[in-house]
Amino acid sequence: MASGGRSRSGALLADLLQSCIDKKCLSSGKLLHGRLHRLNLLTDTFLFNRLIELCSKCADTGYARRVFDRMPHRDVYSWNAMLGVYCKSGKLEEAHELFEQMPERNAVSWNNVISALAKSELEGKALDVFYEMVLQGIMPTRFTLASVFSACGALSNVACGGCCHGLVLKIGLDNNVYVGNALLGMYAKCGCYEDAARAFGDVRDPNEVSVTAIMGVLAQTERVQEALHMFRLMCRKGIHVDSVSLSSVLGLCTKGVNEEPDAADGEGSMLSLCFPLGQQVHGLSAKLGFEKYLHLCNSLLNMYAKSGDMNSAEKIFNNLLPKEVSIVTWNVMIAGYGLKSQTDKAILLLHRMQSLGFEPDDVTYINMLAGCIRSEDIATAQDMFDSMSVPMLNSWNAMISCYFQSGHDAEALNFFRKMQFQGVQPDRTTLAVVLSLCAGMGHLEFGRQVHTVSLKGTSTMDVYVASGLISMYSKCEKADLAQLVFSKMTEIDIVCWNSMMGGLALNSRDIEAFFLFKEMQQREMRPSQFSYTTILSSCSKLPSSFQGRQLHALVAKDGHLNDVFVGSAIVDMYCKCGDVDGARRFFDAMPVRNTVTWNEMIHGYAQNGRGHEAVSLYRYMVESSEERPDNITFVAVLTACSHGGMVDEGMGIFNSMQQDYRVEPTLDHYTCIIDSLGRAGRFNEAETFIEMIPNKDDPIVWEVLLSSCRVHGNVSFARIAAKELLRLDPENSGPYVLLANIYASLGRWDEARTVRELMNCNKVVKNPGYSWIDIKSGEQTSLEDDLKMVEG
C-alpha cells in the first residue's frame, strides 16, 4: 500500500493524472479513467477529483459532468471542482444550479461564483452573492475580496468598496499585497486618486503590480514625473520588473513627450525628461530579454513615433518578422509617419501591410487620414476615403476636418450633406466642426439645419454641441437665438458660459456680457482664463473703468495673473479706459509676454496720444525681446507716429517692415503713412505715396486724406479726395460733409452751400451721431447705475 492508505497503483495513477493536467492532455486522461474502472478504484474520490480538474484545464465541461455524475462518493472538493469547470467555461446558469444543489459550501465555492460573475461583467450580481456569503457567516478570503473590489471598480461603487476596505482591516488582510493591489485598483477606477495613493502606501511589500497600478494613478492625475520617479524607485528597491511594467513606463514616457512644457517650473520641456528615460527603458527591455514581446515592441514603437524619432522606430520595426507583428504594430508606424506629415511613407507601408495579408482596420484608415490632414494632402485623403468599403463615422469626421482645416469650407459642408444622404448619423464631433464652418462662413440657414439635426432623437442638448450653436448664432449676428439655446440648457459647463459671454461681446452687448459673468459667479461656476479674457475685453468698452479694476482683483484672487492672455487683456482694458500708466505698471510686472501683449501696450500709448513712448516701447521690443513684431505691431507703432507727428520716424519703420521683418504692408499700414503725411501737411508726398500703393481705390485712403485737408484748409487736395470718394462710394455722406466744413471754416459760404445742395440733390442723408458720458457724483458709479443711465 502507498502512504496514506492508497494502493501503489492508485498512487501511480495520481502521478499520471497530474502529468496529464500539467500537459493538458485529455486523451491520456480518458485512458487513465478507463484504467480506474478496470482496477476497481471507483471509490477513490481523490482520483476522480483530479480527473475533473483535468477536464477543467482542457475546457471539456460535458466529460467533466459525466465523471462527476458517476462518482459514488463526492466531497466538497468534488463539488467545487465541478463548479469551477462551469465557472471557467462561462456557463453561469449551470454553475448557479450546481451551486444551489451543493450540500456543503466553503469559501472556495463562493469565490468561484463571485469571480465568474465579475469576469462576465455581471458585477452587480457578484456583489449580491458576496452580501449573501457574508450574511451566512463565511469569512471572505483574499481571492473573494479581490473579485469584489474588481466589481466595485467596474461599477464605480466606491461606497461598497469603502465598506469592504473596512472589512479588510477588520479581518487582518490589510498587509496582503494581493488585496492591497485590488483595493488600489478599485479606488483608481472610481476616480478616488488620493485614496488610491493611500492604499498603495498601506501595502507593506509592494510588487510590480502595485507599482504599475500606482503609476497609472499618477498618470491619470497628470503627475507624470512622479509616476516615472516611482518606476525608478521600483528598480532601486529590486522589485521584479516584467514586460507589463515596462509597457506602462513607456506609456508614461509617450504621455510626457506630448505634454506642453510648464513655463513656470524652469525644468525644461517634458520631452527632454521623458524621451531619454524611454530610451533607457528600451535598453532595459533588451537586457531582460523582452525585446520580442509584441506588446512591449508596440509600446516602444509608439513612444518613438510620438516623439518624432521615426528612425529608431523603423529599426525596431524592421527587426520584427511579419509573423511577429499585429495590426496594432502597423497602425502605430502609419500614425508615426502621419505625425511627421510623411504621407508617402505611410502609403508605402499600407501597401506593404496589405501585400503581407494584413487587412486595414478603422484605426489604420483614421491614422492615414490624420496624416493627410496634417500635411493638407486632400487628394490623398479623398483617395484613401474612397477606398474604404464602409467608412465609419470617425472616417467621415476626419474627412470633414481635413477640408475644414485646409480652408475648403464649402467642400466640407458638401461632405457633411453626402454623409447625411448615406444615412450616417453625425456625432458631437461632426456637429461641432460643421457648426464652426457655418460660423466662419456666416451660413446662418445651414447652421439652423444643423441645429435641427442635433435635436433629432434626443430630449437634451449636448453641451459640446450647444457651445458650437451659441458661437454660430453669435457670429451670424443672432445673439438672441444664441441666448435662447443657452437658456434651454439643463446642464451648463464653463465652455458654454464662455461661448455665451463671447457671443454677447462680439455683438457689442458688453453690459449683458458682464451681467452674465456675474450670474456665472453667483452659480459658483469658477471663471477660466478665457472667461476673464472675454469679460475684460467687454469692460474696456464700458463707460466705467471701475468694473475693470474689480476684475483685475478677481484675476489675482483666482491665480490667473501669470496667464499671458489674461494679462494682455488687462493691459488692453487699462489702456482703453485711459489709464496708460496703470497698464504699463502691470505690463512691466508680467512674467511672460507675447507679441499680443507688446501690441496692446504700444497701441495703448498710440491711442492715448503718447506717441514717443509708443515708439520707444517698440524699439525696446525689437532690441530686447524674443518676440518679433507682426502686422498688428506695425499698425500700432505707425498709428503712434501719425498721432505724434513723427513722420520721418514712421517712414523709417514702414520701410523696415519688409526689409528687416518680412512683413508685407497692408492697407492699414499704407493708411497710417498717408494719415501721418496729411497731418504734417505734406500733401505732395502723400499724393505720390498714394500712387505707389496697390489698393488706392479703397475709400478709407481718400477719407484719411480728406480729413487732413480739413485740418490744414487745403481746398485743392480736398476736392481731389472728395471726387475720388464720391466715385467710389456715391451714397456716403462723409465727403460732402467734410468738404462743406472745409469751405465753411475758410469763410467760403457759397461753395459750402453748393456742396450741401449737391448732397440734397443726390438724396444723400447724413447719419445722426450720438455720445454718452459717465456721470460721477462723489463716488464711482456701479455697472447697474451705468445701465440705468444708458436705458434712460
Side-chain angles (χ1 to χ4, degrees), residues 5 47 53 61 68 93 170 192 213 242 298 309 332 345 388 434 444 446 450 483 511 514 609 639 665 669 720:
L47 294 176
E53 186 180 345
T61 55
F68 178 79
E93 290 185 10
K170 183 177 179 180
C192 302
D242 58 11
N298 288 341
D309 186 0
V332 169
K345 287 190 175 183
M388 300 169 67
V434 175
L444 176 62
F446 200 94
V450 176
Q483 283 182 304
I511 293 177
F514 202 97
T639 299
H669 303 109
I720 296 170

Side-chain angles (χ1 to χ4, degrees), residues 528-542:
S528 66
Q529 290 96 321
F530 186 82
S531 312
Y532 282 118
T533 303
T534 302
I535 205 63
L536 281 163
S537 176
S538 290
C539 273
S540 66
K541 291 177 274 185
L542 292 174

Side-chain angles (χ1 to χ4, degrees), residues 178-254:
Y178 189 71
V179 175
N181 290 345
L183 182 62
L184 194 166
M186 182 275 295
Y187 280 127
K189 288 178 182 176
C190 293
C192 302
Y193 300 119
E194 294 301 325
D195 291 321
R198 281 192 288 270
F200 175 78
D202 291 338
V203 178
R204 182 173 296 176
D205 296 311
N207 58 13
E208 67 274 15
V209 177
S210 319
V211 178
T212 303
I214 195 62
M215 284 194 297
V217 169
L218 293 169
Q220 286 290 330
T221 53
E222 306 300 326
R223 292 150 68 181
V224 177
Q225 292 189 55
E226 290 181 56
L228 294 174
H229 174 72
M230 191 62 67
F231 174 69
R232 296 189 191 97
L233 190 65
M234 174 183 180
C235 295
R236 283 200 296 268
K237 287 192 171 184
I239 297 173
H240 174 68
V241 176
D242 58 11
S243 60
V244 177
S245 305
L246 293 174
S247 291
S248 299
V249 177
L250 288 168
L252 289 168
C253 293
T254 304

Side-chain angles (χ1 to χ4, degrees), residues 111 113-128 130-131 141-162 164-165 168 178-191 209:
N111 290 347
V113 176
I114 293 169
S115 176
L117 290 169
K119 289 177 181 177
S120 300
E121 298 183 357
L122 297 169
E123 294 89 358
K125 289 187 176 181
L127 293 181
D128 290 340
F130 172 68
Y131 297 147
T141 67
R142 60 193 180 106
F143 300 108
T144 321
L145 290 163
S147 298
V148 169
F149 284 134
S150 175
C152 290
L155 296 171
S156 295
N157 191 343
V158 71
C160 178
C164 293
H165 188 178
V168 167
Y178 189 71
V179 175
N181 290 345
L183 182 62
L184 194 166
M186 182 275 295
Y187 280 127
K189 288 178 182 176
C190 293
V209 177

Side-chain angles (χ1 to χ4, degrees), residues 52-71:
I52 294 173
E53 186 180 345
L54 172 62
C55 294
S56 176
K57 284 278 187 180
C58 299
D60 192 334
T61 55
Y63 195 83
R65 186 61 196 243
R66 287 193 295 274
V67 172
F68 178 79
D69 288 340
R70 293 173 185 174
M71 287 178 66

Side-chain angles (χ1 to χ4, degrees), residues 376-684:
E376 297 186 359
D377 188 351
I378 300 176
T380 302
Q382 186 66 63
D383 291 342
M384 193 62 54
F385 183 84
D386 293 339
S387 69
M388 300 169 67
S389 55
V390 183
M392 299 295 290
L393 178 59
N394 286 341
S395 303
W396 287 96
N397 288 346
M399 280 305 301
I400 293 171
S401 297
C402 185
Y403 279 115
F404 175 46
Q405 293 183 23
S406 301
H408 295 76
D409 296 346
E411 290 86 345
L413 289 182
N414 288 333
F415 216 84
F416 176 67
R417 290 192 185 98
K418 182 180 176 183
M419 171 183 171
Q420 289 183 295
F421 290 146
Q422 296 198 13
V424 180
Q425 289 298 318
D427 63 0
R428 64 203 303 249
T429 303
T430 324
L431 296 173
V433 173
V434 175
L435 286 169
S436 294
L437 281 165
C438 295
M441 298 171 69
H443 207 322
L444 176 62
E445 190 54 40
F446 200 94
R448 286 178 185 268
Q449 294 174 21
V450 176
H451 189 175
T452 304
V453 171
S454 70
L455 295 173
K456 188 176 181 181
T458 180
S459 57
T460 57
M461 174 72 70
D462 180 89
V463 291
Y464 192 59
V465 177
S467 179
L469 281 169
I470 292 167
S471 178
M472 183 273 296
Y473 281 128
S474 298
K475 290 180 180 177
C476 291
E477 300 181 357
K478 295 292 181 182
D480 290 335
L481 291 176
Q483 283 182 304
L484 187 62
V485 172
F486 183 79
S487 65
K488 290 185 176 182
M489 294 295 298
T490 53
E491 293 184 12
I492 310 175
D493 65 359
I494 189 64
V495 178
C496 283
W497 285 100
N498 290 343
S499 295
M500 193 63 250
M501 285 190 294
L504 290 169
L506 185 66
N507 286 272
S508 301
R509 294 164 66 168
D510 301 293
I511 293 177
E512 292 175 70
F514 202 97
F515 277 134
L516 193 66
F517 177 79
K518 291 178 69 176
E519 182 184 347
M520 182 179 80
Q521 288 183 296
Q522 288 165 1
R523 295 195 186 185
E524 297 183 349
M525 180 70 69
R526 187 175 181 182
S528 66
Q529 290 96 321
F530 186 82
S531 312
Y532 282 118
T533 303
T534 302
I535 205 63
L536 281 163
S537 176
S538 290
C539 273
S540 66
K541 291 177 274 185
L542 292 174
S544 171
S545 62
F546 176 61
Q547 308 300 334
R549 285 192 287 271
Q550 283 187 321
L551 278 172
H552 187 175
L554 279 175
V555 169
K557 182 181 177 183
D558 283 353
H560 295 312
L561 280 181
N562 289 341
D563 183 271
V564 67
F565 299 103
V566 177
S568 300
I570 291 174
V571 171
D572 178 53
M573 181 272 296
Y574 278 121
C575 287
K576 286 181 177 173
C577 290
D579 187 2
V580 189
D581 292 327
R584 183 58 189 265
R585 283 193 297 272
F586 181 79
F587 175 87
D588 290 337
M590 289 179 69
V592 180
R593 308 184 192 103
N594 60 12
T595 304
V596 175
T597 321
W598 288 93
N599 291 350
E600 296 291 4
M601 194 64 244
I602 295 169
H603 190 259
Y605 276 131
Q607 291 297 315
N608 285 274
R610 295 164 67 166
H612 289 282
E613 289 165 280
V615 173
S616 175
L617 186 62
Y618 164 76
R619 297 293 184 199
Y620 182 56
M621 173 186 179
V622 296
E623 291 169 5
S624 64
S625 168
E626 294 181 0
E627 302 294 336
R628 289 177 62 83
D630 62 7
N631 184 307
I632 306 299
T633 315
F634 286 109
V635 170
V637 72
L638 290 175
T639 299
C641 291
S642 173
H643 292 183
M646 295 176 284
V647 183
D648 295 330
E649 185 89 12
M651 290 297 294
I653 293 172
F654 178 84
N655 292 331
S656 72
M657 285 176 61
Q658 286 179 298
Q659 295 173 7
D660 299 336
Y661 304 105
R662 296 181 181 177
V663 176
E664 288 293 326
T666 65
L667 177 62
D668 289 334
H669 303 109
Y670 289 119
T671 304
C672 286
I673 295 299
I674 294 167
D675 184 48
S676 181
L677 291 168
R679 283 171 184 260
R682 295 159 64 168
F683 291 103
N684 291 328

